[in-house]
Amino acid sequence: MKPTTEILANMNRNSNKNKNEVFTRLYRYMLRPDLYYIAYEKLYPNNGAATEGVNDDTADGFSVEKINKIIEALRNETYIPHPVRRTYRKKPNGKMRPLGIPTFTDKLVQEVLRMILESVYEPVFVKQSHGFRPGKSCHTALKDLKGNFIGARWLVEGDIKGCFDNINHKKLVEIIGKKIKDARLIKLIWKFLKAGYMEDWKYHSTYSGTPQGGIISPLLANIYLHELDEFVIQMAEKFYMPPKQKCNTEYNVMASRVARMNPKINSSEGSEREMLIEQKKELRKKLLKIPCKSQTDKRIVYVRYADDFLMGVNGSKEDCEQIKKKLTEFISTVLKMELSQEKTLITHSSEKARFLGYDVSVRRNGAARKHGSLTSRTLSQKVELKVPLNDKITKFLFLKNIVKQDKRGNIYPNVRKELLHCSDLEIISAYNAEVRGICNYYSLACNINDLGYFTYLMEYSCLKTFAHKYKCSLPKIITKFKDGKGQWGVPYETKQGKKRSYFVKLSDCRKSIVFSDNINNSAVMYKSSRTTLEKRLKACVCELCGTTTAEHYEIHHVHKVKDLKGKEYWEQIMIAKKRKTIILCRECHIKIHNQ
């Protein structure tokens, strides 16, 4: 039988060649066992694989029998997703964000469904869409913005009220029905949409929005918002108007005056020539202060990451008001959602607009630079990305108790008492992770050097935490961790010998070149027909007792290898192999759980 991943890759190529192709009979691929092994390999390394939903179903206990039960339920159309268990996470602004935790079986089915839908839809999505897509990320969206928004005169920030919670189920199914003519697959999607959630052990129905915490939620949201992408692209095509003239009239007049000076300079000599050269320099200075572009063109550029989008408009403010009005009408009537009028801002590009945590503006810098014999304004009309230091960095430092403020308003590094119980290596690793996360994310900013003070505060907060832990002064801590080469770092033991964990530098973060989300794309790119996990499970050998005659073999899954103590023989095997999974016969699996 042909590997399903190969079939999905062919579907992906066909969808790429013909964007309007309609797909049928996709549900049959939900009944193929090989996709479930790929889905399990994708899911079991995640921290949430051992987290329970509304029942005790986790990555532990995966087996061939379990796959067969899922496939049989899907074949008979008796498969019913469980409601998700709702919990809450605190947002940076203090509000609580609802988070849904599905059962592991539902995660498996959703992952298989995601692979099938992604092979159909990924080639269809427009290049301006960057959220939750293979090979794309916030950084690719920002690089797209930096390259395409050059010379934009107005910026329109888009904000849809509660986008993911307000996706209309009927409209979503209608949109999917245009591309996929398979009643059984659409029925399965409908079941996931209507699964509901449990909060405080009370069931609540879902009337709108994508599945809470579901694996297919980002993809379904992209399918839904693809309608918005196409609408904006069509609107941009109608709005486009080429410039009536390339250069500004005033600029052309001044440029002609400068050009007419050249023959006079060439034909003159002595003091007269020097005087004419000085006059030309003065005219050139005036020329470089006059805008070159005629600004008679009209165009719209657009970039979107999930439900955040930004539009660059060449036109008048009245044009921007009309665009906002059209967006409001489309989102209300077609997408059945609401565009926030307060947060959908129209900003002149010389001022700052907020997109993906960056301050975005277009420079009006008249500084000229020489390129050989030519002089040009290289920075003018270029997109400028900046770190919002007060709104993001300062808030982060106070939120994490990294700094404290005195009565005069001065900021000082602070001791983080919540880290005092951790080991030295864990403390410095926690600080390094935070510094790398922020500095790597803002590596595209033109004012990234301003984060030097941020790294200084983080480093001395770390040293103060060590000083408080060991009840000694700051100089003694620096002496304690010095490496003899002018730097300090926490020593730790490895199999290769003693090593040091140094505090991360801003210069290391600036070298970051990875700009894509780590999204598995196994439905499109395939290398083998069977995975290592599938081979181990189908070998029918218990990796603990060695029996080959058992009726059932299952996977025992642990949350983290480092949590194993090594007291039991099965723990020693998993530690030696550095694996979170071990294949067991049912008898050995029951014994482990009884322990």
Side-chain angles (χ1 to χ4, degrees):
M1 186 171 68
K2 200 173 186 179
T4 313
T5 48
E6 192 173 336
I7 295 169
L8 295 183
N10 289 333
M11 283 167 49
N12 184 277
R13 283 191 288 270
N14 292 338
S15 184
N16 195 30
K17 287 177 184 176
N18 183 11
K19 307 288 185 184
N20 297 320
E21 184 175 355
V22 176
F23 290 85
T24 58
R25 300 182 64 200
L26 296 179
Y27 190 79
R28 54 183 170 165
Y29 302 124
M30 295 290 304
L31 311 179
R32 292 201 168 205
D34 56 342
L35 285 185
Y36 290 88
Y37 291 105
I38 295 169
Y40 184 81
E41 279 208 308
K42 170 71 168 61
L43 296 174
Y44 89 84
N46 298 338
N47 291 333
T51 305
E52 296 178 353
V54 293
N55 54 27
D56 57 358
D57 181 21
T58 63
D60 184 48
F62 182 76
S63 63
V64 176
E65 184 186 13
K66 184 168 186 173
I67 292 173
N68 293 336
K69 282 183 179 179
I70 293 170
I71 290 173
E72 189 60 31
L74 289 168
R75 182 179 283 112
N76 299 332
E77 296 186 38
T78 56
Y79 177 82
I80 299 173
H82 292 84
V84 299
R85 177 170 67 86
R86 176 168 280 191
T87 184
Y88 289 89
R89 292 285 176 87
K90 195 172 184 179
K91 293 167 71 174
N93 59 7
K95 295 181 181 178
M96 302 301 286
R97 185 193 301 278
L99 178 69
I101 303 172
T103 64
F104 190 76
T105 302
D106 290 341
K107 286 180 184 177
L108 270 177
V109 177
Q110 283 191 39
E111 176 60 23
V112 173
L113 181 59
R114 185 197 65 80
M115 287 191 282
I116 294 169
L117 290 176
E118 192 175 86
S119 63
V120 172
Y121 277 101
E122 182 55 35
V124 175
F125 292 148
V126 298
K127 63 182 181 180
Q128 291 90 341
S129 169
H130 294 263
F132 310 110
R133 293 182 61 192
K136 295 205 171 189
S137 67
C138 293
H139 280 153
T140 60
L142 291 162
K143 288 180 79 177
D144 186 9
L145 185 155
K146 205 170 181 179
N148 295 328
F149 279 57
I150 295 172
R153 292 196 286 280
W154 296 92
L155 298 173
V156 181
E157 303 171 57
D159 186 272
I160 300 172
K161 284 186 179 178
C163 178
F164 295 103
D165 294 331
N166 293 317
I167 288 175
N168 187 281
H169 290 170
K170 287 183 179 179
K171 185 63 185 179
L172 175 61
V173 169
E174 181 188 324
I175 292 167
I176 294 171
K178 294 176 186 176
K179 189 77 177 171
I180 298 172
K181 303 292 183 184
D182 189 329
R184 292 199 294 171
L185 192 78
I186 290 174
K187 188 177 178 182
L188 178 63
I189 294 169
W190 185 260
K191 285 180 180 179
F192 276 115
L193 292 171
K194 295 296 183 183
Y197 64 93
M198 297 285 285
E199 187 174 359
D200 296 330
W201 299 109
K202 290 182 181 179
Y203 175 77
H204 300 268
S205 299
T206 47
Y207 301 101
S208 64
T210 51
Q212 291 286 331
I215 290 167
I216 58 168
S217 294
L219 181 57
L220 292 178
N222 271 338
I223 292 169
Y224 199 80
L225 293 174
H226 177 65
E227 299 293 303
L228 175 64
D229 297 340
E230 289 191 321
F231 172 76
V232 173
I233 289 168
Q234 289 172 9
M235 184 171 60
E237 288 174 357
K238 292 176 183 176
F239 184 78
Y240 176 74
M241 182 187 296
K244 295 175 183 177
Q245 59 186 55
K246 187 176 180 181
C247 293
N248 183 8
T249 305
E250 189 182 353
Y251 183 89
N252 282 335
V253 171
M254 187 60 70
S256 298
R257 286 183 64 188
V258 172
R260 286 197 297 269
M261 293 292 291
N262 292 328
K264 293 179 182 179
I265 292 169
N266 294 332
S267 61
S268 60
E269 293 179 357
S271 59
E272 185 185 355
R273 178 184 171 87
E274 289 178 6
M275 184 182 68
L276 290 171
I277 289 171
E278 287 299 321
Q279 287 179 6
K280 183 184 174 182
K281 285 181 180 179
E282 290 299 321
L283 290 174
R284 281 284 296 170
K285 286 179 183 178
K286 291 179 181 179
L287 180 68
L288 291 173
K289 291 179 181 178
I290 300 169
C292 175
K293 195 177 176 183
S294 65
Q295 297 190 357
T296 54
D297 64 320
K298 285 192 175 185
R299 71 179 182 121
I300 296 173
V301 285
Y302 167 77
V303 64
R304 179 177 68 82
Y305 185 91
D307 60 333
D308 289 335
F309 65 89
L310 186 71
M311 298 171 68
V313 180
N314 278 6
S316 63
K317 189 171 183 180
E318 289 71 27
D319 292 329
C320 295
E321 294 287 355
Q322 285 297 315
I323 289 166
K324 183 178 175 180
K325 188 177 178 181
K326 288 178 182 178
L327 283 172
T328 303
E329 187 179 349
F330 176 82
I331 290 170
S332 175
T333 56
V334 179
L335 297 184
K336 313 295 183 186
M337 292 192 290
E338 186 181 352
L339 188 72
S340 174
Q341 298 300 315
E342 300 80 23
K343 294 182 180 180
T344 303
L345 305 174
I346 298 171
T347 310
H348 193 268
S349 61
S350 60
E351 299 173 4
K352 294 173 184 176
R354 185 64 54 83
F355 183 66
L356 296 181
Y358 277 78
D359 279 339
V360 182
S361 61
V362 177
R363 295 182 183 186
R364 302 294 193 276
N365 193 330
R369 292 183 182 179
K370 278 194 173 183
H371 297 276
S373 60
L374 297 174
T375 306
S376 59
R377 290 170 283 189
T378 55
L379 296 177
S380 184
Q381 301 300 315
K382 297 292 177 69
V383 176
E384 188 176 53
L385 300 177
K386 282 191 171 184
V387 184
L389 295 168
N390 290 329
D391 288 355
K392 298 291 181 183
I393 307 303
T394 306
K395 279 185 180 179
F396 170 81
L397 291 170
F398 279 106
L399 184 69
K400 295 286 185 177
N401 295 320
I402 295 163
V403 296
K404 60 182 178 180
Q405 194 171 23
D406 62 12
K407 294 178 180 178
R408 295 179 180 178
N410 298 318
I411 293 174
Y412 297 99
N414 191 26
V415 177
R416 295 175 76 178
K417 293 182 179 179
E418 65 272 16
L419 297 178
L420 292 175
H421 68 282
C422 300
S423 68
D424 294 349
L425 186 60
E426 286 173 337
I427 290 171
I428 196 169
S429 296
Y431 275 96
N432 280 345
E434 289 168 343
V435 173
R436 282 196 191 98
I438 288 176
C439 294
N440 282 341
Y441 184 75
Y442 286 111
S443 58
L444 294 176
C446 62
N447 65 332
I448 188 172
N449 287 334
D450 292 347
L451 291 177
Y453 186 56
F454 162 73
T455 55
Y456 158 79
L457 291 171
M458 292 290 286
E459 183 177 4
Y460 275 83
S461 173
C462 181
L463 288 168
K464 278 193 171 184
T465 304
F466 281 130
H468 195 83
K469 179 180 178 180
Y470 289 105
K471 295 180 173 58
C472 63
S473 66
L474 215 60
K476 285 184 179 179
I477 282 294
I478 294 172
T479 304
K480 174 183 171 69
F481 290 131
K482 266 189 176 178
D483 64 351
K485 298 177 183 177
Q487 292 183 310
W488 72 273
V490 174
Y492 63 98
E493 293 290 338
T494 66
K495 290 181 180 178
Q496 290 78 30
K498 185 177 273 190
K499 291 187 178 181
R500 278 183 183 272
S501 177
Y502 293 96
F503 199 88
V504 68
K505 296 178 181 177
L506 178 61
S507 56
D508 299 330
C509 301
R510 293 195 67 171
K511 296 174 184 175
S512 175
I513 56 171
V514 180
F515 292 135
S516 63
D517 290 334
N518 184 21
I519 299 177
N520 183 277
N521 200 20
S522 53
V524 180
M525 301 300 293
Y526 59 92
K527 292 184 179 178
S528 61
S529 59
R530 290 179 68 182
T531 64
T532 306
L533 196 73
E534 183 181 356
K535 289 175 183 176
R536 285 169 62 203
L537 197 55
K538 288 191 173 180
C540 296
V541 178
C542 178
E543 294 177 356
L544 186 60
C545 69
T547 184
T548 58
T549 56
E551 287 187 24
H552 303 290
Y553 293 89
E554 301 171 346
I555 293 176
H556 178 63
H557 175 276
V558 295
H559 183 56
K560 289 180 181 177
V561 175
K562 72 174 186 178
D563 293 340
L564 299 173
K565 305 299 181 185
K567 293 180 180 179
E568 301 294 334
Y569 180 56
W570 63 272
E571 290 181 320
Q572 294 168 12
I573 292 172
M574 296 183 81
I575 291 168
K577 292 184 176 182
K578 295 181 181 178
R579 280 179 175 165
K580 293 169 69 173
T581 58
I582 184 172
I583 310 299
L584 302 172
C585 61
R586 183 163 290 176
E587 188 178 344
C588 287
H589 199 194
I590 291 170
K591 283 180 182 178
I592 286 175
H593 280 284
N594 285 342
Q595 289 171 359

